[in-house]
């Protein structure tokens, strides 16, 4: 039997309030590369900002819809509540000092389930983790001058889904999406794709906490990797056959996508690895200027005029 089997996390997309504050934090405090400055294709009067490693490779990507004036959301069930990044082993003390120096809201590192973890909140209150992940061969982005490359963020490590019940979500992850149950501890479980390395992990934490409210500082959706369009088209048919309400294939310019909800309510996406972020500007220039898909290019002047200007350099 053929099963859907994504080979890792592709990207996580979240909601922020202020685009400048978002760039200042992710590019200059966490040191991710702003790999694309574009608009939300479904709401072109607002930005869509993509951060990742040097090339914006799948599994390194965190993206934001900055919606000025959006009220703060509330973490709770039915949301992806923690986004974890991988950093090199031995880096957490360095990160703790850096985050403290820059006034970031961060806890002291601790050990949890065999992983060394530093929990922090971004300026919108989004919960992030830096995990000292052994054996992560990814190189991250070394373009932020104040971060030595040996401490640079490597990419996504894991995502945590908060659910009221474990079983329904677990069944979708394993039976439909082909993930493996890696560990289970009462009401929480870890699932893995591909080789189970950093960037392929999904944690599900079940609790009777209140339902979350999706707004500022919360995750909008979680995307998984499809190797190519033909494979994703086949998966789309399989999901439909299983009774999942999956969308048509959307052209996201840097990848093609389908969307559906898991039983607890979290919006999932499957996105292709290709064509990637160098499709409309050179690798060296990624993220420096506003890029629009061909169908919005005729409205560039109007779109650009409505967006708040972004300062990309570090303010110190
Ligand atoms: Zn997405």
């Amino acid at each position: 039997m053929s099963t859907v089997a994504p080979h890792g996390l592709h990207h996580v997309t979240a909601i922020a309030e202020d685009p400048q504050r978002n760039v200042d934090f992710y590019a200059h405090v966490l040191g991710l590369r702003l790999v694309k400055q574009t608009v939300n294709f479904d709401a072109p009067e607002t930005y869509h900002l993509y951060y990742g490693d040097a090339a914006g490779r799948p599994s390194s990507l965190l993206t934001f819809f900055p919606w000025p004036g959006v009220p703060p959301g509330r973490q709770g069930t039915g949301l992806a509540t923690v986004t974890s990044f991988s950093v090199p082993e031995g880096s957490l003390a360095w990160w703790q000092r850096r985050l403290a120096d820059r006034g970031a809201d961060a806890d002291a590192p601790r050990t949890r389930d065999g992983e060394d973890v530093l929990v922090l909140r971004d300026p919108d209150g989004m919960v992030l983790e830096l995990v000292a992940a052994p054996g992560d061969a990814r190189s991250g982005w070394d373009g932020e001058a104040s971060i030595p490359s040996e401490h640079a963020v490597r990419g996504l490590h894991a995502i945590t889904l908060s659910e009221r019940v474990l079983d329904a979500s677990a069944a979708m992850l394993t039976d439909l999406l082909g993930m493996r149950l890696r560990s289970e501890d009462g009401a929480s479980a870890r699932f893995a794709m591909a080789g189970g390395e950093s960037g392929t992990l999904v944690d599900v934490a079940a609790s009777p906490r209140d339902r979350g409210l999706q707004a500022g500082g919360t995750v909008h959706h979680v995307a998984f990797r499809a190797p190519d369009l033909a494979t994703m088209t086949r998966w789309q048919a399989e999901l439909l056959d299983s009774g999942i309400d999956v969308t048509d294939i959307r052209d996201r310019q840097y990848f093609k996508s389908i969307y559906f909800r898991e039983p607890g309510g979290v919006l999932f996406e499957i996105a292709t690895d290709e064509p990637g972020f160098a499709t409309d500007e050179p690798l060296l220039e990624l993220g420096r200027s506003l890029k629009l898909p061909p169908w919005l290019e005729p409205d560039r002047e109007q779109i650009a005029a409505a967006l708040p200007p972004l300062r990309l350099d570090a303010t110190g």
Side-chain angles (χ1 to χ4, degrees):
M1 188 183 76
S2 163
T3 22
V4 179
H7 51 292
L9 295 166
H10 186 287
H11 65 268
V12 174
T13 294
I15 304 166
E17 204 263 312
D18 181 59
Q20 186 65 59
R21 191 173 65 175
N22 190 253
V23 169
D24 290 344
F25 182 79
Y26 284 97
H28 302 305
V29 177
L30 276 193
L32 305 182
R33 184 176 191 187
L34 177 66
V35 291
K36 195 63 66 180
Q37 203 189 125
T38 185
V39 294
N40 181 338
F41 295 174
D42 301 321
E45 68 281 4
T46 57
Y47 278 115
H48 191 178
L49 303 176
Y50 289 78
Y51 304 90
D53 67 6
R57 292 178 187 85
S59 294
S60 75
L61 299 163
L62 175 63
T63 96
F64 283 91
F65 298 138
W67 290 333
V70 71
R74 189 183 61 239
Q75 302 296 349
T77 57
L79 290 178
T81 50
V82 184
T83 302
S84 303
F85 286 93
S86 157
V87 296
E89 280 185 285
S91 284
L92 291 185
W94 185 89
W95 276 103
Q96 183 184 19
R97 277 195 306 279
R98 176 178 175 84
L99 293 166
D101 286 350
R102 294 182 185 237
D105 177 10
D107 301 344
R110 63 193 166 94
T111 303
R112 185 196 58 205
D113 299 333
E115 286 183 326
D116 292 331
V117 181
L118 188 164
V119 179
L120 66 150
R121 270 82 34 195
D122 84 355
D124 287 284
M126 177 169 166
V127 183
L128 306 171
E129 289 179 346
L130 300 180
V131 177
D136 187 350
R138 296 175 293 174
S139 55
W141 163 239
D142 64 0
E144 169 53 48
S146 63
I147 300 179
S149 58
E150 70 262 31
H151 295 310
V153 172
R154 289 343 198 196
L156 291 171
H157 177 68
I159 187 82
T160 301
L161 313 179
S162 287
E163 308 284 9
R164 287 195 76 83
V165 292
L166 176 60
D167 289 359
S169 299
M172 173 176 267
L173 296 180
T174 54
D175 302 351
L176 274 178
L177 297 180
M179 297 183 197
R180 295 182 315 286
L181 174 65
R182 197 145 105 182
S183 59
E184 193 171 4
D185 179 14
S188 61
R190 167 162 278 191
F191 300 87
M193 295 166 269
E197 64 274 28
S198 205
T200 69
L201 304 171
V202 177
D203 292 324
V204 180
S207 75
R209 74 197 280 206
D210 287 345
R211 207 167 164 76
L213 175 70
Q214 192 174 65
T218 62
V219 170
H220 188 271
H221 62 266
V222 177
F224 302 102
R225 295 175 63 180
D228 52 47
L229 184 59
T231 306
M232 193 174 75
T233 304
R234 199 175 71 241
W235 292 352
Q236 182 199 33
E238 291 178 16
L239 290 167
L240 278 170
D241 283 349
S242 304
I244 304 300
D245 187 14
V246 54
T247 65
D248 53 2
I249 295 173
R250 310 263 166 92
D251 183 358
R252 296 316 194 188
Q253 181 76 351
Y254 312 106
F255 41 85
K256 299 247 188 334
S257 295
I258 54 175
Y259 301 84
F260 54 98
R261 283 191 194 275
E262 58 86 33
V266 180
L267 183 61
F268 279 0
E269 172 183 355
I270 294 177
T272 55
D273 281 0
E274 300 292 331
F277 291 92
T279 189
D280 60 357
E281 58 188 336
L283 197 59
L284 287 172
E285 303 289 323
L286 292 184
R288 302 302 302 177
S289 60
L290 180 68
K291 304 309 290 184
L292 297 173
W295 63 92
L296 291 176
E297 203 54 67
D299 303 321
R300 169 176 283 274
E301 206 177 328
Q302 199 183 342
I303 288 170
L307 292 168
L310 275 187
R311 197 186 57 249
L312 301 182
D313 53 319
T315 49

